[in-house]
Amino acid sequence: MDAALGAPAKMAEREEDLTPMMAQYFELCREYDDSLVLFQVGDFYEAFCEAAERVARICEITLTKREDSTGEYAMSGIPIDNAESYIERLLESGYRVAVADQVEDPDEVSGVVDRAVTRVVTPGTLTEDELLRSADNNYVACLTADGPGGDASTRDTSRAGGGAGAGGDGDGPYGLALLDVSTGDCYATGADRLDSIADELGRFAPAEAIVGPAAPADVFDGDCMVSPYERTAFDAERARERVEAYFGDLGLADEAEVRACGALLAYAEYTRGGNPDAGDIGDDSTAEVAGPGSTAGDDGVDDTATLDYINPLTRYDPREYMLLDRVALESLELFDRRAVHGDRALTLVDALDETACALGRRKLDDWLRRPLLDEDRIAARHDAVAELTGDVTLREDLHDLLDDVYDIERLISRVARGRATARDLRSLHDTLAVVPDVEAALADADSATLVELREHLDPLTDVRELIDEAIQRDPDADLTEGGIVEPDFDEELAELRATEREGKAWIDDLEAGERERTGIDSLKVGHTSVHGYYIEVTDPNLDSVPDDYQRRQTLKNSERFVTPELREREDEIIRAEDRADDLEYELFCAVRRDVAEESERVQALADRLARLDVFVSFASVAAKFDYTRPAVGADEFEVAAGRHPVVERTEERFVPNDAHFDDEHFFAVVTGPNMSGKSTYMRQVALTSVLAQAGSFVPAAEARLPVVDRVFTRVGASDDIAGGRSTFMVEMTELADILTNATEDSLVLLDEVGRGTSTADGLAIARAVTEHVHDEVGATTLFATHHHELTAIADDLSGVFNLHFETERTDGEVAFEHEVAPGAAAASYGIEVAKLAGVPAEVVDRSRELLGESGSDERGEPAADANGYDPGENVRVSSTADEETRGGGDRPASDLERKLVALDVATMTPLEAMNALAELKESLDE
Ligand code: ADP
């Protein structure tokens, strides 16, 4: 954190001279010295001095000067009405924002109004709807290390997020807790190795993190705002107490995990908003543990009361889920559109998202992020999807119903934090009203999963009825102006509103009555917000005005009057109205508290609706795009006519491909020219497993799959420019991770290993990697490579087989078929592709020539025969460089190729080259 955020030294020096307001400001700055303090002055949040300059710059607002007894200083203010968008900018610039609101009514105090920090807005603890994209989770993480010393500086943490460096074995155990403040989702896990922690971080991609005393901050990636936090919050005893206060005794044995959880809760409390209806704004009753906000509470508000929107803690063992680290998530393009190559705008989650509500969309994310390993659980999900895929009516009915479901997860969290409006409660009501219909729709469901879901749907009838009785149908947005509570909900309220109504009715009748009494036909009764009720008489009629009329206002052509009776009635109305408005607010808060009591049930309901939504979404996609139910838990990986779930949507004609791996043949070397479809194929194989284990059907004609414990990817160049490491270094770091952590049950995708170094180096590394994975790991592997020599390894290692992408040549041109076939590809299509792309003929020819030269000296060792996996389709790679370089390893060089090689392009003039080219073309045409 930027230490200079606090009270500017210059001002602090003159402390004794400060005006009371500025003294208050600096006091808050000191207390919240890790945040930018926004200080309410009337309708604005102000920052002063250096902070003002910062705010003005970041928010692009005007910097003004202010002068008081201490001299002149800078000041900048953002309008409270529009504060969220400015706060967002400050967050984006890496600041925490402490919002200090006026906590006294300026009209009721003499002297300076008291202010207190009501919330600390940080990237990971956002709750304000407008700052969050509704479909995404937003996590704040907390990491602790229990290892002896745990000195982060000695650890090798140079890693690409998910990839492991050599380090990370010794300094655990580590504890990791994650919380989405906006939904209350809370996870905890532990690991002995930093690698595993990094993998989990890759999975959740927290926006913010706090770290314990010995925990390494550099395991978080650059997008995550990391800061140390109050040591005391990590104290084991305190942390345990806090965790138990929220979740009960969970029997958490793991100290690091407990400390992570406890500290995270403390931090969440610290950033929590005030609780206006409890009147404890700014009361940081957790301060004795939690840090900067150390104004200890005096009204004994229960610590846990303000955070009870937190869902039951999900403790999970990473080993229960397929591991997808950051590298894998990115290269498989699961969530992050930024990572998507080319102009394809779809990510996997987009392609699969037919969810009807935000609850479902977040659940879909969660399931894709954490695919299951347990065959029974996977099959249970598939059962539900199968039933819904087969029943269009049920599927569509459910989708329509779920369409009316509000984001009750976030909504109930606002209820519990005392921030929900009457409209929020009405939205909750409307969602609850859908539940019986959902139950009815599922009445005939057969699959155990859907039956179980239906049986546990809690319509929360009591809560729904309470809201319906209490809250008006179309309530006011404002909570203090009335118009939110049904008058009949409360006797006193009913009486007050009746008084108000009667008073108004009396006034309504007044006009006719007074016209009759005075004989003035044009007499009018009206109302203005400033002057209240009046009787208006035009000037010509003033003579007829009775004695009891008192003049209130003179207008151009008329006078306005009141009568004592009218005044009395008016007072009565105002009194009743004021009292009724206050009472409505009180009643509303009470209802809100009652609803908050039921948070847990609402969350359980939200979870079930979310799951149902994902099932329906999976089923819609399956039906629409012709997916099939995979059998998960097979011994082999067998996919017939598989497709890439995203590419198939963007490609006019997608060519399906088979995949087959078993114990005997588990390592495929995939060759073929650029753009022939290698990466697509490899990703498609991995995505099939991800989808299947997440519970979805898969894009294929048939699929039998093993349970994959983890997908490793080393795909494409992911330059870590910000991290200051070369592509090659990143590549090798990722590779090291794969080689140390992959198991027999893993799926490994390697694309062009060793490309970032010299050919000889790269080839050597590629070969060694292949041998290691083959001999020591036994993981199902797809290895796409340009090192054609690698195809020969199939002869030496029994588990290795070759696959290649077919290309079609017509008229000497290459066309991509995107069709995978057994055996190795011809040596190199690179030059043909260059030609295809319109590279000038001279260059193409010269490349051929050079390839001929370098090809022959580089391959000192004759390439061995490469056997395709399918013995019936053995493909021979010729053993002499000459032949191989001239047009494909599986056939002798053609006439044309011999002629080409004979051309000495280096000494030719362009004209000679053109002629030679024409001649070649002619010979082809013949
Ligand atoms: P490579 O990895 O061999 O360079 P890619 O997998 O990136 O090739 O594929 C190149 C392009 O070809 C992709 O952008 C994709 O749109 C298209 N493509 C790949 N596989 C198929 C397929 N099976 N059917 C149709 N088009 C495909």
Side-chain angles (χ1 to χ4, degrees):
M1 268 300 106
D2 190 338
L5 281 180
K10 204 172 92 222
M11 293 297 289
E13 274 168 25
R14 308 182 299 196
E15 191 144 14
E16 61 288 359
D17 310 325
L18 290 176
T19 62
M21 190 186 86
M22 290 308 283
Q24 206 183 71
Y25 172 69
F26 287 122
E27 180 56 33
L28 289 172
C29 286
R30 258 190 302 275
E31 249 176 56
Y32 290 84
D33 62 356
D34 58 358
S35 305
L36 260 176
V37 173
L38 293 182
F39 189 79
Q40 185 185 0
V41 181
D43 294 336
F44 285 84
Y45 284 131
E46 300 284 355
F48 301 101
C49 306
E50 289 95 321
E53 285 163 27
R54 244 176 267 233
V55 171
R57 195 178 59 242
I58 295 165
C59 298
E60 294 172 31
I61 51 176
T62 341
L63 191 65
T64 51
K65 297 266 181 247
R66 181 190 170 99
E67 210 174 336
D68 62 24
S69 53
T70 56
E72 200 182 67
Y73 48 88
M75 153 172 154
S76 63
I78 62 178
I80 289 182
D81 278 349
N82 201 6
E84 303 306 341
S85 65
Y86 292 105
I87 292 178
E88 187 175 3
R89 288 202 195 183
L90 294 169
L91 291 180
E92 276 168 7
S93 303
Y95 291 103
R96 286 196 179 89
V97 178
V99 180
D101 285 305
Q102 293 175 344
V103 291
E104 289 175 316
D105 187 341
D107 295 341
E108 284 172 17
V109 293
S110 59
V112 64
V113 185
D114 199 21
R115 292 163 180 92
V117 169
T118 54
R119 59 194 167 125
V120 180
V121 191
T122 76
T125 60
L126 291 178
T127 51
E128 276 57 43
D129 277 351
E130 51 272 55
L131 294 189
L132 281 174
R133 280 181 298 155
S134 70
D136 298 335
N137 276 102
N138 186 49
Y139 289 103
V140 55
C142 176
L143 177 64
T144 57
D146 267 0
D151 179 6
S153 63
T154 61
R155 185 178 300 111
D156 172 12
T157 46
S158 58
R159 45 184 306 122
D169 295 334
D171 298 319
Y174 298 96
L176 177 66
L178 294 135
L179 171 68
D180 182 336
V181 176
S182 64
T183 61
D185 286 345
C186 191
Y187 298 89
T189 190
D192 286 333
R193 297 160 49 88
L194 195 56
D195 297 352
S196 311
I197 293 294
D199 292 335
E200 291 314 304
L201 290 175
R203 204 196 294 269
F204 286 93
E208 181 184 0
I210 54 168
V211 292
D218 49 4
V219 67
F220 296 92
D221 77 27
D223 296 336
C224 182
M225 172 177 177
V226 186
S227 40
Y229 188 58
E230 283 290 301
R231 249 167 196 276
T232 46
F234 292 89
D235 175 80
E237 250 337 278
R238 285 190 166 171
R240 184 173 295 278
E241 269 170 31
R242 184 164 257 119
V243 171
E244 284 177 6
Y246 280 100
F247 305 117
D249 185 358
L250 295 172
L252 280 175
D254 188 311
E255 183 117 305
E257 212 172 306
V258 173
R259 288 169 59 228
C261 255
L264 188 55
L265 291 169
Y267 182 68
E269 287 172 4
Y270 160 60
T271 59
R272 85 190 192 283
N275 194 350
D277 64 294
D280 69 335
I281 290 174
D283 152 47
D284 197 332
S285 42
T286 63
E288 84 275 23
V289 184
S294 49
T295 47
D298 52 10
D299 58 359
V301 173
D302 181 7
D303 281 1
T304 59
T306 48
L307 285 186
D308 64 4
Y309 58 90
I310 286 183
N311 279 329
L313 178 68
T314 307
R315 288 188 63 217
Y316 77 95
D317 184 339
R319 286 166 298 191
E320 283 175 27
Y321 298 94
M322 176 197 278
L323 215 170
L324 293 166
D325 59 31
R326 189 175 65 91
V327 180
L329 291 178
E330 271 174 22
S331 56
L332 295 177
E333 295 166 357
L334 254 55
F335 301 106
D336 193 351
R337 204 165 284 135
R338 278 172 311 177
V340 173
H341 299 299
D343 48 7
R344 257 184 277 134
L346 278 182
T347 62
L348 180 73
V349 73
D350 294 333
L352 288 184
D353 182 15
E354 301 258 331
T355 56
C357 60
L359 298 174
R361 167 64 204 242
R362 281 199 302 271
K363 184 66 83 187
L364 175 64
D365 260 33
D366 184 44
W367 283 7
L368 289 175
R369 217 177 278 285
R370 298 189 303 146
L372 300 170
L373 296 182
D374 185 281
E375 286 168 32
D376 295 337
R377 286 177 72 192
I378 296 169
R381 287 187 189 173
H382 289 160
D383 284 344
V385 178
E387 181 163 4
L388 292 166
T389 308
D391 191 336
V392 196
T393 325
L394 175 58
R395 191 171 72 227
E396 289 178 352
D397 286 353
L398 287 172
H399 188 277
D400 288 348
L401 290 170
L402 290 164
D403 222 17
D404 293 334
V405 166
Y406 285 86
D407 193 346
I408 53 172
E409 234 175 13
R410 290 208 170 139
L411 197 153
I412 196 67
S413 122
R414 284 200 297 278
V415 169
R417 282 179 289 120
R419 287 182 159 269
T421 63
R423 289 180 179 177
D424 283 333
L425 290 190
R426 231 28 250 201
S427 301
L428 177 59
H429 168 275
D430 295 348
T431 300
L432 296 178
V434 171
V435 178
D437 296 339
V438 174
E439 267 180 319
L442 286 170
D444 297 328
D446 281 330
S447 74
T449 314
L450 292 183
V451 170
E452 203 263 356
L453 222 150
R454 183 195 66 215
E455 283 171 353
H456 289 90
L457 276 182
D458 176 359
L460 283 112
T461 315
D462 46 339
V463 174
R464 193 190 67 206
E465 285 173 358
L466 170 66
I467 297 174
D468 203 29
E469 274 169 33
I471 310 296
Q472 293 191 15
R473 220 145 267 250
D474 188 14
D476 220 68
D478 196 289
L479 294 179
T480 53
E481 307 278 309
I484 55 174
V485 175
E486 285 290 346
D488 289 340
F489 178 64
D490 180 82
E491 222 171 289
E492 190 191 346
L493 182 66
E495 277 168 23
L496 290 165
R497 292 298 183 209
T499 310
E500 198 187 325
R501 227 179 14 252
E502 282 157 19
K504 284 180 176 163
W506 182 88
I507 288 170
D508 284 346
D509 293 340
L510 185 65
E511 194 170 275
E514 289 302 300
R515 280 185 186 174
E516 206 177 300
R517 177 156 83 103
T518 59
I520 306 170
D521 282 346
S522 62
L523 177 145
K524 269 194 293 196
V525 174
H527 181 264
T528 69
S529 54
V530 181
H531 297 285
Y533 289 100
Y534 57 82
I535 301 170
E536 189 173 297
V537 178
T538 51
D539 290 347
N541 294 305
L542 286 179
D543 291 346
S544 318
V545 165
D547 290 344
D548 60 340
Y549 275 31
Q550 301 162 357
R551 203 176 300 261
R552 206 172 230 192
Q553 218 186 341
T554 302
L555 303 180
K556 201 164 158 212
N557 299 318
S558 60
E559 296 281 334
R560 286 178 177 176
F561 301 91
V562 288
T563 63
E565 206 185 356
L566 176 56
R567 198 169 261 172
E568 199 177 300
R569 284 291 182 162
E570 182 173 15
D571 287 349
E572 203 176 271
I573 293 172
I574 291 172
R575 266 197 314 275
E577 204 170 48
D578 282 355
R579 172 67 196 129
D581 290 352
D582 289 351
L583 184 59
E584 277 199 27
Y585 181 67
E586 284 163 32
L587 290 166
F588 168 76
C589 290
V591 169
R592 189 167 62 185
R593 275 193 298 273
D594 287 347
V595 174
E597 293 284 305
E598 306 304 328
S599 294
E600 236 170 83
R601 287 166 67 204
V602 175
Q603 277 156 348
L605 173 67
D607 181 63
R608 300 212 160 85
L609 293 175
R611 295 161 58 88
L612 186 61
D613 196 14
V614 180
F615 288 141
V616 173
S617 175
F618 278 164
S620 314
V621 172
K624 220 158 145 183
F625 299 98
D626 203 15
Y627 283 17
T628 188
R629 177 176 183 156
V632 180
D635 290 334
E636 50 191 11
F637 194 111
E638 176 87 66
V639 174
R643 285 121 49 200
H644 188 297
V646 179
V647 179
E648 78 160 328
R649 305 273 182 95
T650 54
E651 217 50 54
E652 232 166 79
R653 194 185 66 94
F654 189 89
V655 182
N657 278 307
D658 297 347
H660 180 95
F661 298 86
D662 57 28
D663 285 349
E664 308 281 297
H665 300 93
F666 56 87
F667 193 117
V669 174
V670 188
T671 43
N674 267 339
M675 297 302 286
S676 61
K678 300 185 297 296
S679 324
T680 304
Y681 179 70
M682 298 205 304
R683 288 187 169 100
Q684 145 187 338
V685 166
L687 290 175
T688 306
S689 277
V690 170
L691 288 183
Q693 289 177 229
S696 166
F697 282 13
V698 297
E702 223 182 293
R704 300 192 324 111
L705 310 166
V707 174
V708 169
D709 67 356
R710 176 166 184 176
V711 176
F712 287 93
T713 55
R714 160 85 280 280
V715 175
S718 53
D719 261 290
D720 184 4
I721 294 164
R725 289 173 304 153
S726 71
T727 309
F728 187 62
M729 186 62 199
V730 174
E731 187 183 324
M732 288 301 118
T733 313
E734 290 177 6
L735 197 59
D737 178 37
I738 297 174
L739 297 180
T740 34
N741 294 321
T743 75
E744 218 181 342
D745 298 325
S746 305
L747 182 58
V748 177
L749 310 185
L750 300 170
D751 199 349
E752 296 300 355
V753 168
R755 216 183 185 183
T757 183
S758 77
T759 315
D761 247 16
L763 181 58
I765 292 172
R767 178 156 184 133
V769 165
T770 306
E771 286 175 3
H772 181 87
V773 173
H774 179 271
D775 298 346
E776 307 295 329
V777 180
T780 301
T781 307
L782 289 107
F783 189 166
T785 181
H786 263 75
H787 293 299
H788 192 260
E789 296 82 347
L790 213 60
T791 55
I793 208 170
D795 273 356
D796 307 335
L797 305 176
S798 65
V800 177
F801 63 101
N802 286 312
L803 291 176
H804 75 282
F805 274 83
E806 295 276 3
T807 42
E808 194 176 73
R809 290 151 172 266
T810 41
D811 280 346
E813 305 292 345
V814 182
F816 297 124
E817 301 244 286
H818 301 304
E819 196 167 305
V820 75
S828 174
Y829 284 79
I831 294 174
E832 275 80 356
V833 175
K835 186 171 161 194
L836 192 69
V839 171
E842 310 89 280
V843 178
V844 170
D845 289 345
R846 175 64 182 145
S847 316
R848 286 212 174 93
E849 185 189 299
L850 286 171
L851 180 65
E853 286 164 12
S854 72
S856 46
D857 31 72
E858 214 175 73
R859 296 193 187 92
E861 145 203 3
D865 283 359
N867 286 331
Y869 156 54
D870 183 343
E873 293 226 27
N874 266 7
V875 178
R876 296 190 67 80
V877 175
S878 63
S879 55
T880 66
D882 261 357
E883 270 182 27
E884 187 180 339
T885 51
R886 281 164 214 166
D890 54 347
R891 60 190 175 80
S894 68
D895 247 20
L896 186 68
E897 286 156 351
R898 266 192 288 276
K899 278 186 194 160
L900 262 170
V901 168
L903 294 178
D904 187 7
V905 183
T907 60
M908 283 167 117
T909 64
L911 191 65
E912 281 167 348
M914 288 287 280
N915 286 336
L917 201 60
E919 208 174 292
L920 283 173
K921 200 162 178 308
E922 217 164 274
S923 74
L924 245 189
D925 290 344
E926 281 161 17

